[in-house]
Amino acid sequence: TDTAGKVGDSDKDAEEKKMEKLLQRREKRQEALTASQYAMAIKMNMSQNQKPIDLNLHSIITGLEHTGTTITGRLVMNAPCLVGATETGFLLADSPQDIGDVYPWYSWNIDDGKDTDKKKMMYLLSPGAYEKMKAARNFSEMYYILRENSHLFNNLNDKYDDGRECEKPTRVVDKTPRYVRPQYLEHILIKTPGVPVVILKKPFEELRIDLPRQAYDEVFANVDKMMKKYPGRIKMLYYEKFMENPEKVMGEVFEFLGLTWKDEYLKMTGLKQKFSVYPEVAKQIGAWEFVPGGHSPEGSTVFH
């Protein structure tokens, strides 16, 4: 028994040392990535708290699951020359090299040849495209490769208000609820210097996820902290105000993002035009018109 116990302790020590080395490598990669991103921001002559024109990633939409992140993302994507998958998730990785470890987002967005027609709202990336993304030096470069290789940024019928075609590939809106969690949010702000972030907040009593009150409070205490540490980077969108007056609230969100709001976007006019190249998807989008409280999980498999 003593021998077995010693062997067990030895295996445990070896696992702990292995994990410690892995964490150290990740920290070194993160430090290098952070330095690279800030060097890029400085080269652009802009501080981390300003909004540089990132030609790849336009904006980030996040918030706890089932709090309105999908409807918000879809409304933003009505604006010309912007689009994104139902969820992206790649910024959860420590570096572009690690995006293959980000599940289920990695598998959601790969083109495995199955049910392709039902996945037109995802990136549908080939294995080769993923390998190119993993080889990116930083996340901005990764988004550039994503734009070059996904049908969403190259095949849609995307036009300016005056009828001119958007230059392809268009820019990315990254909507991912998980980003708001305290263990991720600041890392994501660092990885994407200057990119504006919209965060949804729904009253705790109305949540449709199993989350303790303490965890909920920790999420938004951290959001408050990040808003003070990175002034100008984050826009809070309060769910109840959104439902009461969507035109006013989305007008404020669009202004924050440097976009022009149109009330007609509540009927998904811009998104329907973009996806007119995929008639079945455009037909589905026709059923996504904004209805206060009507996009809950029970009412739709699309919005959350």
Side-chain angles (χ1 to χ4, degrees):
T1 305
D2 290 344
T3 302
K6 289 179 181 179
V7 172
D9 290 342
S10 176
D11 291 342
K12 184 177 180 181
D13 290 342
E15 284 298 318
E16 288 179 351
K17 288 180 180 179
K18 183 179 178 181
M19 181 59 69
E20 184 178 350
K21 288 181 180 179
L22 176 61
L23 291 174
Q24 287 174 350
R25 286 200 299 271
R26 286 187 171 184
E27 287 175 2
K28 287 180 180 178
R29 273 208 307 267
Q30 185 61 55
E31 289 173 2
L33 174 64
T34 301
S36 173
Q37 290 283 11
Y38 277 123
M40 184 183 300
I42 292 169
K43 188 174 182 180
M44 294 171 69
N45 194 30
M46 296 179 180
S47 77
Q48 64 176 18
N49 292 329
Q50 291 176 320
K51 299 177 186 175
I53 300 176
D54 188 316
L55 298 179
N56 301 304
L57 178 60
H58 176 272
S59 52
I60 294 170
I61 312 293
T62 187
L64 291 172
E65 292 82 355
H66 307 298
T67 58
T69 55
T70 298
I71 181 63
T72 302
R74 293 287 177 257
L75 288 171
V76 170
M77 292 175 205
N78 276 273
C81 312
L82 303 173
V83 75
T86 301
E87 287 196 22
T88 300
F90 298 142
L91 290 172
L92 296 170
D94 293 327
S95 71
Q97 293 95 314
D98 301 309
I99 60 174
D101 299 327
V102 178
Y103 289 101
W105 294 271
Y106 182 87
S107 57
W108 281 349
N109 283 292
I110 197 166
D111 184 1
D112 58 5
K114 301 176 182 178
D115 297 324
T116 301
D117 290 339
K118 296 180 180 179
K119 299 178 181 177
K120 295 298 188 184
M121 293 296 295
M122 304 306 287
Y123 293 126
L124 286 175
L125 295 163
S126 69
Y130 260 132
E131 291 306 310
K132 291 177 183 178
M133 289 168 62
K134 291 177 186 178
R137 293 169 294 180
N138 51 57
F139 279 97
S140 183
E141 186 174 286
M142 184 210 72
Y143 280 110
Y144 171 79
I145 298 168
L146 169 64
R147 293 169 60 232
E148 290 289 327
N149 288 274
S150 173
H151 73 109
L152 287 181
F153 309 103
N154 297 280
N155 295 354
L156 302 187
N157 183 23
D158 208 342
K159 298 180 180 180
Y160 290 101
D161 293 338
D162 61 8
R164 289 178 297 121
E165 293 281 345
C166 290
E167 293 183 8
K168 305 292 180 66
T170 52
R171 295 169 70 194
V172 183
V173 176
D174 183 336
K175 172 260 174 179
T176 306
R178 189 68 58 86
Y179 291 165
V180 79
R181 302 284 178 155
Q183 65 266 41
Y184 300 119
L185 185 56
E186 183 166 21
H187 291 298
I188 284 163
L189 290 168
I190 291 171
K191 293 169 187 174
T192 59
V195 175
V197 180
V198 177
I199 297 180
L200 276 289
K201 184 176 183 181
K202 194 174 190 178
F204 176 78
E205 295 73 20
E206 296 183 26
L207 288 185
R208 311 188 93 112
I209 57 173
D210 185 15
L211 186 72
R213 180 64 195 239
Q214 182 179 349
Y216 174 89
D217 291 340
E218 288 173 354
V219 166
F220 290 104
N222 184 63
V223 170
D224 289 341
K225 180 181 176 182
M226 293 301 102
M227 290 181 74
K228 293 173 183 175
K229 189 170 182 178
Y230 301 91
R233 288 288 307 276
I234 297 172
K235 169 74 173 175
M236 288 295 296
L237 196 168
Y238 296 95
Y239 182 82
E240 62 273 35
K241 293 182 179 179
F242 183 22
M243 294 299 107
E244 291 171 3
N245 196 338
E247 295 90 349
K248 180 177 184 295
V249 170
M250 287 310 301
E252 293 170 354
V253 169
F254 268 55
E255 182 178 4
F256 173 73
L257 297 177
L259 303 172
T260 301
W261 169 253
K262 293 182 176 182
D263 289 350
E264 67 183 53
Y265 289 160
L266 294 175
K267 296 184 179 297
M268 300 293 167
T269 54
L271 209 54
K272 281 188 279 190
Q273 173 186 288
K274 293 180 186 188
F275 282 90
S276 61
V277 295
Y278 303 130
E280 288 302 314
V281 179
K283 183 178 178 181
Q284 182 183 11
I285 292 172
W288 295 355
E289 294 183 10
F290 181 88
V291 177
H295 52 273
S296 64
E298 288 80 6
S300 171
T301 58
V302 178
F303 288 145
H304 56 74

